[in-house]
Amino acid sequence: SLEDYEETVKKAKEAWKVWADIPAPKRGEIVRQIGDALRQKIKALGSLVSLEMGKIFVEGVGEVQEYVDVCDYAVGLSRMIGGPILPSERPGHALIEQWNPVGLVGIITAFNFPVAVYGWNSAIAMICGNACLWKGAPTTSLISVAVTKIIAQVLENNKVPGAICSLVCGGADIGTAMARDERMDLLSFTGSTKVGKQVALMVQERFGRSLLELGGNNAIIVFEDADLSLVIPSALFAAVGTAGQRCTTARRLFLHENIHDEVVAKLCKAYAQVRVGDPWDSDTLYGPLHTKEAVKMFLDAVEQAKQQGGSVVYGGKVIHRPGNYVEPTIVTDLPHNAPIVHTETFAPILYVLKFKEEEEVFAWNNEVKQGLSSSIFTKDLGRIFRWLGPKGSDCGIVNVNIPTSGAEIGGAFGGEKHTGGGRESGSDSWKLYMRRSTCTINYSKDLPLAQGIKFQ
């Protein structure tokens, strides 16, 4: 309830006062212990992810492993964060950059990665000296509670308040309260572009800081010279993994016209070998969608694709068995700018599109509203660097000869345009969880003014 929320924010703010005084390397040591505690329960947590979210067990375990890995990353970072000492133009003066924690970081995560996304945010936020207030998805609250209890035990074992990593379970009313709450010094939101826009406006209205990880309409582009032995498994994994419920899922596959038919035939054959079943079964590669609403969105998208001229060459139907199962689906014959192709449907539907020239397909990659992940398959070195350059992909993740999904924690994760512009995890993403001060220290007995100004 909102009363629970109010109490939790107060406790988290009080806990921050303790946490901010602890040296960063010591904070890193506590985050390392959190990683170890998660590692000890990785199979139980992975199993819980499968049960509650629906992804296959190996993906559930892999998601917890990401949290463990980012804890390891954060430990090293805890001894490295800092700003430069800059040359001052005034004698007897030092000019330095000081970085301090923002305070309380609100973290709103989505159902599809109910552990990893919180891990990316919290591990980095914690070593920076922030307290965290987490609101997980209402449909994955068991996972939120389990992870928080594990973290709280580690914090309390180190004689610091468990409220440093606080949790609120709730719906849109709690999310709205967080967005409007001036006590949230940074709000990190992962979810749909539609809701993200509302969150951004609410946070901006109070001049707050937000970190947005929103939708993706990701493309794989395959040129004539591509190695098809890499293309087929990459397209399959990127389109079908997590039953199409990743923000980095491949939704558009651009094939050069000379290889289009061959690749579609091979891809249909590969799709036919995907083992559908209980996500807890070790043989299963493909589980259910998260909700019945997702099944309806899938069926609506397939119908729209047909109405707009698309041909369903594989799948397109509900699988009649207990659970929210649908067939992984391939649609061909649509134009690159068909309305459904420009719509992110969080389901395993791949739109296969033909192209002739490099310049046009790069433009088609960039014409959608979202700008998260993108990939080309080619052996042409010049084309690779054009793809990475200013007239290439406009996405935050730009890949060559690997799929759109499967980002590493060492690189900053996030995208441009309607994807929100946020960055999490690696590189210099830590700066988003801190505030910068430019500090000038006069250690001389004089007061020389900048730009040579003199007062008589």
Side-chain angles (χ1 to χ4, degrees):
S1 68
L2 288 166
E3 290 76 22
D4 296 330
Y5 168 77
E6 187 60 33
E7 182 188 354
T8 307
V9 173
K10 286 176 181 172
K11 292 268 178 69
K13 286 296 241 187
E14 284 298 312
W16 175 76
K17 294 175 184 175
V18 176
W19 190 241
D21 283 338
I22 295 171
K26 175 60 178 170
R27 295 194 296 253
E29 163 57 20
I30 294 171
V31 170
R32 184 193 66 75
Q33 293 173 33
I34 290 170
D36 281 348
L38 292 165
R39 195 181 268 117
Q40 287 167 18
K41 294 187 169 66
I42 195 165
K43 288 189 176 176
L45 285 170
S47 192
L48 188 54
V49 171
S50 275
L51 173 71
E52 204 170 24
M53 185 272 155
K55 64 174 64 173
I56 61 174
F57 174 67
V58 69
E59 283 192 340
V61 170
E63 186 180 334
V64 182
Q65 185 65 50
E66 278 201 32
Y67 193 169
V68 171
D69 291 344
V70 86
C71 285
D72 288 344
Y73 180 88
V75 175
L77 193 59
S78 70
R79 293 183 181 271
M80 296 165 68
I81 52 173
I85 300 173
L86 303 162
S88 174
E89 65 186 49
R90 290 170 281 185
H93 286 57
L95 189 61
I96 66 171
E97 268 189 13
Q98 173 75 19
W99 291 83
N100 285 302
V102 293
L104 179 58
V105 176
I107 304 167
I108 300 176
T109 61
F111 74 87
N112 61 329
F113 279 88
V115 176
V117 172
Y118 177 65
W120 294 348
N121 281 275
S122 63
I124 306 294
M126 287 179 74
I127 62 100
C128 289
N130 300 296
C132 299
L133 178 65
W134 181 19
K135 185 189 109 57
T139 52
T140 55
S141 54
L142 292 178
I143 293 163
S144 303
V145 170
V147 170
T148 299
K149 286 198 168 193
I150 291 167
I151 296 168
Q153 190 62 60
V154 173
L155 293 169
E156 288 163 10
N157 289 348
N158 283 273
K159 296 183 171 51
V160 294
I164 290 162
C165 288
S166 292
L167 171 70
V168 282
C169 293
D173 58 333
I174 302 297
T176 300
M178 290 174 73
R180 290 188 170 145
D181 195 337
E182 292 198 346
R183 294 169 297 180
M184 293 292 134
D185 299 292
L186 169 67
L187 186 65
S188 175
F189 174 84
T190 301
S192 71
T193 297
K194 181 184 175 184
V195 178
K197 188 174 184 179
Q198 296 168 355
V199 167
L201 290 170
M202 284 187 274
V203 174
Q204 182 57 43
E205 195 171 40
R206 60 177 174 85
F207 288 106
R209 293 171 61 167
S210 61
L211 193 169
L212 302 172
E213 295 285 357
L214 311 176
N217 192 345
N218 315 297
I220 294 175
I221 301 169
V222 184
F223 289 89
E224 268 188 290
D225 64 340
D227 182 345
L228 296 188
S229 68
L230 295 177
V231 170
I232 303 305
S234 292
L236 179 75
F237 171 71
V240 169
T242 325
Q245 298 168 112
R246 289 174 177 239
C247 51
T248 54
T249 291
R251 309 203 180 275
R252 299 176 294 151
L253 177 62
F254 291 106
L255 301 175
H256 190 275
E257 59 183 10
N258 292 347
I259 58 167
H260 176 274
D261 293 353
E262 179 188 359
V263 173
V264 169
K266 287 184 174 180
L267 204 52
C268 287
K269 190 176 178 183
Y271 267 53
Q273 295 171 48
V274 172
R275 295 188 299 277
V276 180
D278 185 331
W280 272 351
D281 188 330
S282 60
D283 282 339
T284 300
L285 289 177
Y286 176 90
L289 292 176
H290 185 54
T291 60
K292 286 182 168 52
E293 186 186 6
V295 176
K296 183 181 182 303
M297 287 194 304
F298 165 83
L299 290 171
D300 288 348
V302 171
E303 191 54 39
Q304 285 180 56
K306 288 177 183 174
Q307 289 171 6
Q308 291 168 28
S311 304
V312 177
V313 295
Y314 192 92
K317 298 189 289 295
V318 168
I319 299 172
H320 295 290
R321 55 173 294 160
N324 306 315
Y325 287 84
V326 300
E327 294 175 339
T329 299
I330 302 171
V331 179
T332 60
D333 297 332
L334 283 166
H336 66 92
N337 56 356
I340 192 63
V341 173
H342 281 224
T343 303
E344 183 197 20
T345 304
F346 229 55
I349 304 172
L350 182 64
Y351 304 110
V352 182
L353 311 150
K354 281 184 189 177
F355 75 92
K356 290 181 182 179
E357 303 293 338
E358 175 189 304
E359 192 174 338
E360 70 176 359
V361 79
F362 283 7
W364 294 350
N365 175 77
N366 296 346
E367 71 183 357
V368 295
K369 298 284 190 186
Q370 304 88 345
L372 179 53
S373 188
S374 55
S375 179
I376 63 167
F377 284 79
T378 184
K379 299 186 184 109
D380 184 323
L381 199 56
R383 179 180 291 136
I384 289 169
F385 282 95
R386 289 190 293 274
W387 173 242
L388 303 180
K391 295 179 181 177
S393 173
D394 65 358
C395 294
I397 298 169
V398 184
N399 293 336
V400 179
N401 295 330
I402 63 165
T404 52
S405 50
E408 294 188 31
I409 61 160
F413 180 89
E416 302 298 324
K417 303 187 298 190
H418 286 213
T419 301
R423 294 295 187 278
E424 294 170 340
S425 196
S427 185
D428 64 349
S429 299
W430 61 270
K431 291 180 178 179
L432 294 166
Y433 302 89
M434 304 195 85
R435 57 178 179 83
R436 180 198 322 232
S437 303
T438 302
C439 310
T440 309
I441 302 160
N442 180 3
Y443 56 87
S444 74
K445 294 182 179 179
D446 300 318
L447 191 65
L449 300 175
Q451 288 86 44
I453 296 170
K454 288 184 170 62
F455 287 107
Q456 299 301 327

